[in-house]
Amino acid sequence: AGGASPALAVVYRSEDSGETWQGPSFVTSSLTGWNHTTCSPCEIGNRIILAIYGIKPGGTINRTTVSIVESSDDGRTWPKERILHDGAPFGFWLNECVIQSLSSGLLFALMRSEQERDIYSLFSTDSGRRWSIAKNAFPGSGKPHFIELPNGTIRSFFRAPAPSQQAYYRESYDSGATWSNGHLLQGFENEVYADSVILEDGRQLVILGNEDPTHTAASIHSFELDIP
């Protein structure tokens, strides 16, 4: 949706391990305009939360707000919404939020800043009811996908700010408080919107979308990173 339309996410559900799917259903929010969600639901007990970003009434396309919608019935309805980050009091606006539950008990989130070309982090210690103030984590752009490895390391994939646009990853060994230097993924240009999964043999499969300079084509690359 765009313009004055409600910010929304489209949700499909499966009750048989992905054999069949139900939907679509539409999750709306109080925000309007723009491209609105990162398709990264986070399950916390009997709750599912999903981050949506858009524009508050009276805002502009460069001043996005991130909110969380919540379901307590396996994604059938999403009646609860709360603001996660409103840039107005802080002077910076964030979007494309990814949230995951860590083995430490924290809910951890990464978001991109379109203004500053940086990635920001925040966390919650009470299952998402209250959140820390967003802080600058490291330089980067694109949706900052991340995954927690079996040894507790957080590995985040992102792209370098323009003009480089190359694919990098960083690691955190302390639940996102600090981050390693960036590791360049050789041969991957204009990489955006990574996703990954831990394989049964202990390796990490990562998929990266590729945008050419004219934004008229996209391809998918996959490769494997051994988990230490």
Side-chain angles (χ1 to χ4, degrees):
S5 302
L8 58 84
V10 181
V11 175
Y12 290 83
R13 298 173 56 254
S14 174
E15 297 180 349
D16 53 12
S17 300
E19 293 293 329
T20 60
W21 292 85
Q22 304 170 20
S25 60
F26 298 93
V27 182
T28 60
S29 82
S30 61
L31 308 177
T32 61
W34 231 19
N35 183 10
H36 310 297
T37 184
T38 56
C39 299
S40 299
C42 178
E43 187 173 4
I44 315 161
N46 66 345
R47 300 160 53 223
I48 303 172
I49 61 174
L50 182 67
I52 290 180
Y53 70 92
I55 304 166
K56 291 178 65 176
T60 67
I61 196 168
N62 294 319
R63 297 189 174 190
T64 50
T65 296
V66 180
S67 70
I68 291 177
V69 291
E70 180 178 321
S71 172
S72 298
D73 57 6
D74 297 323
R76 293 178 179 84
T77 61
W78 302 78
K80 296 181 180 180
E81 180 183 10
R82 65 172 61 90
I83 297 298
L84 178 59
H85 178 83
D86 179 1
F90 305 102
F92 60 90
W93 288 265
L94 305 176
N95 56 41
E96 295 190 341
C97 175
V98 179
I99 301 173
Q100 291 190 27
S101 179
L102 303 181
S103 59
S104 64
L106 290 179
L107 275 185
F108 184 71
L110 290 178
M111 306 184 202
R112 68 182 288 187
S113 168
E114 197 67 32
Q115 295 168 294
E116 302 177 7
R117 298 295 192 268
D118 288 321
I119 304 299
Y120 278 74
S121 66
L122 27 54
F123 64 89
S124 171
T125 60
D126 59 2
S127 300
R129 293 172 177 83
R130 294 173 297 178
W131 288 83
S132 67
I133 295 174
K135 73 169 188 176
N136 192 312
F138 50 82
S141 185
K143 185 191 77 171
H145 166 75
F146 70 92
I147 193 169
E148 184 180 26
L149 306 183
N151 63 2
T153 296
I154 301 174
R155 184 177 282 164
S156 176
F157 290 83
F158 58 97
R159 67 180 176 190
S164 167
Q165 303 288 315
Q166 292 176 296
Y168 281 79
Y169 71 91
R170 290 177 184 256
E171 294 181 335
S172 174
Y173 314 111
D174 51 13
S175 297
T178 60
W179 292 86
S180 70
N181 293 328
H183 302 278
L184 174 65
L185 298 176
Q186 296 287 347
F188 292 88
E189 302 286 340
N190 299 309
E191 303 303 329
V192 293
Y193 305 116
D195 210 338
S196 68
V197 65
I198 305 300
L199 304 178
E200 290 183 358
D201 61 7
R203 292 173 298 166
Q204 181 184 13
L205 176 67
V206 182
I207 299 174
L208 293 162
N210 178 274
E211 288 185 339
D212 72 10
T214 61
H215 300 278
T216 59
S219 61
I220 297 294
H221 301 290
S222 63
F223 57 94
E224 296 166 355
L225 289 177
D226 289 334
I227 296 173

